[in-house]
Amino acid sequence: MRIETGYQKWAKDFLWRYRWLLAIIAVGLFLRVGMAMYLAGRDFVSDESEYFGAALSLAQGRGFSFFDSGPWLRPPVYIVFLAIPIKLWGPQVTPILAIQHGISVLTIVLFYLIGKELFNRRVGLFTAAACAVYLPFAIFPNLVLTETLFLAFFAAGVLLLLKSRSANRRYLLVGAAGALMSMATLTKGSLIAFVPFVAIWLFFSTSGRRQRLAAAGVFLAMFVVLLLPWTARNFLAYHAFIPVETTGAVNLWLASHQGPSSDIYSALSQATSIPERQSLAYSGALHDILSDPLGWIGRGTEGLAGLWRINFSGDERFVHGFSHGLVSGPYLIALFLMDDSLYVVLMCLALVGLATAKHDASQALVLLWVGVSCLLAVVFFAIARFRIPVLPFLFPYAGYAVMSLAPQLRSAIPSRTRIAAAGALCAVFLFTVLPTYPIGFTSLGFEAWLSQSHLTAGDLLLDQGELDQAQTEFEKADRTIPETSVELARVEILKGNPQEAEKLLQDGKQYFGTKVLLGDIYRNSGEMDPARRLFTDSIVNEQNPTSWAWEKISPPPSSRIDVGDGLDLGYVRGMQLGEQDGTTTFRWTSGDSFVRFPGAPAATGYRLTLRMRGWRPEGLPAPVADILANGKPVASIVASGGWAVYSIELPAGTMSPSQNLVVEIKSDIFTPGFSDPRLLGVMLDWVSLEPTG
């Protein structure tokens, strides 16, 4: 007979007791990993480049100087959070996103406990399930944005406040909640507006005058203790009182200004310091509000509606190009069902729960947070992303609305007044949101994806050299979309019919791919001036399509690549736009960049020569550039601060059987600052390949 140890019995009991929560966590983790795989390799969106650039500067020992050239100062905690893995593992996002996924899963547990604390265990499980499957909560851990970390800090703080009402060690929990709220504020500064309401809530939800003062005092003391070092640092650095950040001033001006936002940023760029920009933003906002108070109130009402409306094309949804079939159909359906539709259902249920539940002091804290968030949306501006920290606090009320239908809760049937209130709240919400419900966009995107699936099939056939079959597939795609014409033109080029390809490209010239392919046709025919004009057109520069050109066009053989001269598309990948340093044209590499030499002449040996410059801001060491030829390391160069030529004798056997050479340049990177948040490696002027035998 097998005897269970104490640990085995505990583990068995734990797994059984929390089996539903563990299953919910597993589903949430599966969904998050799936989204990580789908979004892998994407470019930064929204404020991601700003946060990553600030963290990289901090990890390199440059403090918070990143913001010296920007319109505002951000809170420090998320930047420090990003800087730690950058310092440990280098400037890559994978470790950051892995940590954020762990935090996101932990947040599911926190909201299970919050739902349980507000109502009961079943509501807690419902809340956890909603957090697990609501798609934005699976997308945001894949973004270098504050939402995931902020929500974890804030939810933990709220949970401790709720538990402090019935705990013996009340002041310990209240103090810890104050510390967590301070960390959350140092992650997202707008939370500071909520802190006084928390203190008031503690005062009125505590019995006994002395105990009331003590609870509010302990909370505020711990909040200030953690906030004070950053505030003191700002005073020493800027000689001004900046408790957390200065984005609030700019956002207030943006919300009150009637003209284009470019007016504000242009005015702020004239100021010479962060305090001066903050003062200018506050004075500008006050002037605009007093000049048109009714207009400001109207814009505030629109901001409140924007907080709750669906924004189908928001950057964080990754649907750019959906009408051209560039977004996966299953992903669009997932967005529609697990984001938009689930959001509408959960919100309606939550509003029913809000109207019908019997409220106590614990629920008052949650309602205060919802109210303050709505107030901030009115005073400042709001976008759909700003509701992410609000929604999960409403999910327990949706759970209550569902569970109140169960037999054991039928005795708590709400009054007609409460039912009427629920109906009115739902009507207002649906009136606000349903006009933005994206049935049409989703249908359009899915149909386009189905049509353009022929492009994917054709690309595979093209890679296999099956030109006729690829052409057949491309002809089945939507001919009104310029991507289709580009693929058909590629087939004609490979068949040796550039004139036919050019005819196919006469339409759709507002598409960057059309211009790049036309430029390639001219370059191959020796017409360099029209080719350069097309390659450097503003539509092309907006995309900087070095990766696209690398995959889609076949440049002619060349022994010297003049990088950044306007004719290098197809030869380079992973580099910034072409620039000039005096009379020298160049491109910045991006840490991992490529140059290729197609169809190199046969020889027994080769010399690879590069002209580079490794400029760095003061205080940063000279960059090290590792050079690889067809994947083999051939040199490690410490690039000097001025232009210099470096020659490398390639070892025998470096050239591929097809006589193609791909040169990879890996280097340290830095970012100049807010005004130029690009991730830059070394400056590359030209690369040449010479036979030596």
Side-chain angles (χ1 to χ4, degrees):
M1 179 178 178
R2 183 180 178 184
I3 300 176
E4 289 185 341
T5 65
Y7 172 77
Q8 288 174 328
K9 187 176 185 305
W10 174 87
K12 185 177 180 180
D13 291 344
F14 177 86
L15 291 173
W16 177 253
R17 182 179 181 184
Y18 293 104
R19 63 192 184 279
W20 291 113
L21 178 60
L22 292 172
I24 289 169
I25 291 172
V27 170
L29 180 59
F30 176 81
L31 186 59
R32 283 152 178 76
V33 171
M35 289 311 307
M37 295 172 64
Y38 177 75
L39 296 173
R42 63 177 181 79
D43 294 328
F44 282 154
V45 298
S46 189
D47 300 326
E48 286 187 291
S49 60
E50 179 184 338
Y51 282 114
F52 192 86
L56 177 61
S57 293
L58 180 62
Q60 292 176 336
R62 299 165 64 195
F64 289 87
S65 61
F66 178 89
F67 294 104
D68 289 348
S69 61
W72 49 59
L73 173 70
R74 294 278 190 186
V77 165
Y78 188 62
I79 295 166
V80 174
F81 168 80
L82 297 176
I84 293 172
I86 289 175
K87 185 71 173 178
L88 292 174
W89 298 296
Q92 52 182 321
V93 299
T94 302
I96 294 168
L97 301 185
I99 296 169
Q100 289 192 163
H101 278 84
I103 293 172
S104 180
V105 171
L106 173 63
T107 306
I108 295 174
V109 179
L110 291 174
F111 278 102
Y112 160 75
L113 296 172
I114 289 172
K116 182 181 176 183
E117 198 70 29
L118 289 174
F119 293 102
N120 54 50
R121 183 172 179 271
R122 296 181 69 192
V123 170
L125 288 172
F126 181 96
T127 304
C131 290
V133 302
Y134 183 53
L135 198 59
F137 291 167
I139 292 176
F140 271 89
N142 297 287
L143 301 178
V144 186
L145 295 173
T146 59
E147 274 73 11
T148 298
L149 184 64
F150 169 78
L151 190 56
F153 277 134
F154 184 54
V158 170
L159 177 62
L160 292 184
L161 287 171
L162 296 177
K163 284 189 170 295
S164 71
R165 297 192 66 244
S166 57
N168 293 327
R169 300 180 179 179
R170 177 182 179 109
Y171 299 123
L172 179 63
L173 293 178
V174 167
L180 286 166
M181 289 290 184
S182 189
M183 292 296 288
T185 302
L186 290 169
T187 305
K188 195 175 184 69
S190 58
L191 184 65
I192 200 169
F194 181 57
V195 171
F197 292 95
V198 176
I200 294 170
W201 175 83
L202 280 167
F203 183 85
F204 285 105
S205 65
T206 305
S207 57
R209 182 178 179 183
R210 183 174 298 177
Q211 289 82 356
R212 287 178 174 181
L213 290 172
V218 168
F219 173 82
L220 290 174
M222 287 302 299
F223 179 86
V224 172
V225 163
L226 266 71
L227 197 71
L228 195 58
W230 176 248
T231 306
R233 177 264 173 198
N234 290 340
F235 184 81
L236 293 174
Y238 309 119
H239 307 291
F241 179 65
I242 302 175
V244 182
E245 61 173 359
T246 64
T247 58
V250 179
N251 287 340
L252 182 61
W253 197 5
L254 288 169
S256 58
H257 190 63
Q258 296 185 52
S261 59
S262 58
D263 294 345
I264 293 175
Y265 291 119
S266 177
L268 292 173
S269 67
Q270 304 303 312
T272 58
S273 67
I274 287 175
E276 188 178 339
R277 294 178 196 117
Q278 179 179 239
S279 177
L280 178 62
Y282 275 131
S283 61
L286 183 61
H287 174 270
D288 287 344
I289 291 170
L290 294 178
S291 299
D292 185 16
L294 292 179
W296 176 62
I297 293 172
R299 287 187 292 276
T301 305
E302 186 65 23
L304 179 59
L307 181 67
W308 301 108
R309 285 174 179 157
I310 296 169
N311 181 11
F312 178 82
S313 60
D315 288 342
E316 66 278 2
R317 288 170 63 99
F318 300 99
V319 295
H320 178 72
F322 76 96
S323 62
H324 286 199
L326 303 181
V327 181
S328 164
Y331 174 70
L332 287 171
I333 296 298
L335 276 178
F336 180 72
L337 295 177
M338 301 173 68
D339 181 353
D340 307 324
S341 300
L342 186 60
Y343 163 64
V344 172
V345 171
L346 287 173
M347 277 299 298
C348 287
L349 289 171
L351 293 172
V352 171
L354 280 169
T356 58
K358 293 182 178 180
H359 298 287
D360 59 16
S362 294
Q363 294 175 29
L365 178 64
V366 173
L367 296 178
L368 277 173
W369 169 236
V370 176
V372 168
S373 298
C374 291
L375 180 63
L376 290 173
V378 171
V379 175
F380 301 95
F381 77 97
I383 55 177
R385 175 180 128 201
F386 291 0
R387 65 171 173 260
I388 291 296
V390 182
L391 283 180
F393 290 96
L394 293 172
F395 291 167
Y397 292 94
Y400 171 80
V402 172
M403 299 307 166
S404 67
L405 302 177
Q408 65 268 31
L409 293 176
R410 283 178 182 166
S411 59
I413 296 175
S415 66
R416 290 182 179 179
T417 302
R418 290 176 178 267
I419 293 174
L425 288 172
C426 289
V428 171
F429 172 75
L430 292 174
F431 178 79
T432 302
V433 172
L434 285 185
T436 61
Y437 192 57
I439 295 177
F441 287 145
T442 303
S443 175
L444 172 64
F446 190 81
E447 291 175 3
W449 173 75
L450 286 176
S451 172
Q452 297 308 87
S453 63
H454 295 292
L455 293 186
T456 304
D459 275 335
L460 292 174
L461 291 167
L462 209 58
D463 291 340
Q464 298 167 10
E466 302 290 345
L467 301 186
D468 292 334
Q469 293 181 47
Q471 187 173 32
T472 300
E473 284 293 329
F474 292 147
E475 287 173 346
K476 295 177 183 177
D478 187 348
R479 298 290 293 271
T480 65
I481 294 177
E483 286 89 339
T484 304
S485 298
V486 165
E487 296 300 335
L488 286 167
R490 287 181 63 211
V491 174
E492 294 296 344
I493 290 172
L494 292 172
K495 285 183 173 182
N497 303 320
Q499 294 83 7
E500 291 300 318
E502 191 172 351
K503 291 178 183 177
L504 288 166
L505 296 172
Q506 291 310 303
D507 296 326
K509 288 189 178 180
Q510 296 308 304
Y511 173 53
F512 76 89
T514 302
K515 292 181 179 292
V516 171
L517 208 59
L518 278 171
D520 185 49
I521 292 172
Y522 289 135
R523 180 175 58 186
N524 278 286
S525 64
E527 300 178 68
M528 299 305 178
D529 288 339
R532 182 180 282 107
R533 284 195 295 271
L534 286 163
F535 284 151
T536 58
D537 187 274
S538 60
I539 293 174
V540 176
N541 284 343
E542 284 177 8
Q543 302 296 324
N544 187 26
T546 61
S547 295
W548 188 93
W550 185 279
E551 300 292 336
K552 299 291 187 181
I553 65 178
S554 301
S558 177
S559 61
R560 177 186 167 106
I561 311 302
D562 196 344
V563 179
D565 72 336
L567 291 170
D568 60 353
L569 280 180
Y571 293 108
V572 300
R573 186 176 75 178
M575 298 189 191
Q576 304 292 342
L577 280 174
E579 301 179 39
Q580 276 195 289
D581 180 22
T583 59
T584 300
T585 59
F586 72 95
R587 287 182 187 260
W588 280 100
T589 66
S590 300
D592 194 7
S593 302
F594 300 84
V595 180
R596 67 178 169 190
F597 293 89
T604 57
Y606 296 89
R607 180 183 297 113
L608 179 69
T609 307
L610 308 91
R611 187 170 190 257
M612 297 189 302
R613 182 183 178 192
W615 181 87
R616 285 296 184 269
E618 185 178 353
L620 287 185
V624 177
D626 294 320
I627 311 299
L628 293 83
N630 282 342
K632 300 176 183 178
V634 294
S636 186
I637 301 169
V638 179
S640 68
W643 288 106
V645 175
Y646 305 91
S647 292
I648 305 164
E649 299 296 330
L650 300 183
T654 300
M655 190 63 67
S656 69
S658 58
Q659 290 300 115
N660 293 324
L661 180 70
V662 175
V663 179
E664 184 176 2
I665 305 169
K666 293 185 175 182
S667 69
D668 309 324
I669 61 174
F670 79 103
T671 180
F674 188 99
S675 59
D676 183 6
R678 296 176 300 166
L679 304 176
L680 306 178
V682 296
M683 303 159 74
L684 187 62
D685 178 16
W686 52 260
V687 187
S688 69
L689 183 68
E690 304 170 72
T692 57

